[in-house]
Amino acid sequence: MHIRIYKAERRLILLDGETTVLSAPIALGRVPVGPKTREGDGKTPEGTYTLCLIKPDGKYGRSLGLSYPGERDTRKALDEHAIDLPTFRAITDAQHHGQRPPWGTALGGEIYIHEGGTHRDWTEGCIALNSADMDALFPYHSVISSVEILP
């Protein structure tokens, strides 16, 4: 199973192959247009990530942590001198070992799919769902292979 998030449409789709299991409205970061590039920019990332942390009772209820920053984010940041080589290596090493990447870098981190409502774009870069939609999504967390976030 995998998740596709369409930022412009404010929609999360859970797919089993190409069959839609769940279609739900979402809220995004407070600056929803464009990909996340740095800590505190209020943007939601764009790219393909995995679930790297599951919280049954996080700050905003049930939360699914994403493996942001990903390889594409990290390479771009290194090329633009936003991060140094040791930071690049720490992030890519974690990715290659299937671990949560370091979240305390200049790129930011701690990006989740979590509860909290979809009344407006209000997160720091996370994807927020209504509680009823998280009721439907959360039980699948162990079989979700990827989360693709599209503009």
Side-chain angles (χ1 to χ4, degrees):
M1 299 189 94
H2 61 282
I3 293 173
R4 240 183 241 141
I5 293 170
Y6 297 94
K7 288 173 58 173
E9 289 84 17
R10 305 297 191 277
R11 178 80 31 201
L12 177 148
I13 310 289
L14 175 63
L15 296 156
D16 184 358
E18 290 303 315
T19 302
T20 298
V21 175
L22 172 69
S23 176
I26 58 170
L28 300 170
R30 58 185 162 68
V31 183
V33 177
K36 182 166 195 63
T37 58
R38 63 178 163 66
E39 174 72 28
D41 64 7
K43 294 186 177 198
T44 300
E46 295 174 4
T48 302
Y49 307 95
T50 59
L51 297 181
C52 64
L53 186 61
I54 309 303
K55 290 186 174 182
D57 189 24
K59 181 178 179 181
Y60 296 103
R62 292 162 293 180
S63 304
L64 305 172
L66 301 182
S67 62
Y68 171 86
E71 191 168 334
R72 192 178 92 196
D73 308 302
T74 308
R75 171 59 60 195
K76 184 173 189 277
L78 181 65
D79 291 346
E80 294 174 353
H81 307 288
I83 59 171
D84 59 17
L85 191 55
T87 302
F88 172 81
R89 286 186 179 140
I91 294 169
T92 56
D93 284 351
Q95 293 163 352
H96 291 143
H97 290 98
Q99 300 170 337
R100 178 182 64 80
W103 283 348
T105 72
L107 298 177
E110 291 192 72
I111 302 297
Y112 290 93
I113 299 170
H114 62 65
E115 297 178 82
T118 61
H119 52 287
R120 62 180 170 83
D121 292 326
W122 60 274
T123 75
E124 292 298 315
C126 296
I127 297 105
L129 290 169
N130 293 315
S131 292
D133 292 320
M134 185 58 91
D135 288 344
L137 176 64
F138 196 79
Y140 291 103
H141 68 78
S142 65
V143 295
I144 294 170
S145 61
S146 65
V147 177
E148 182 181 15
I149 305 173
L150 302 163

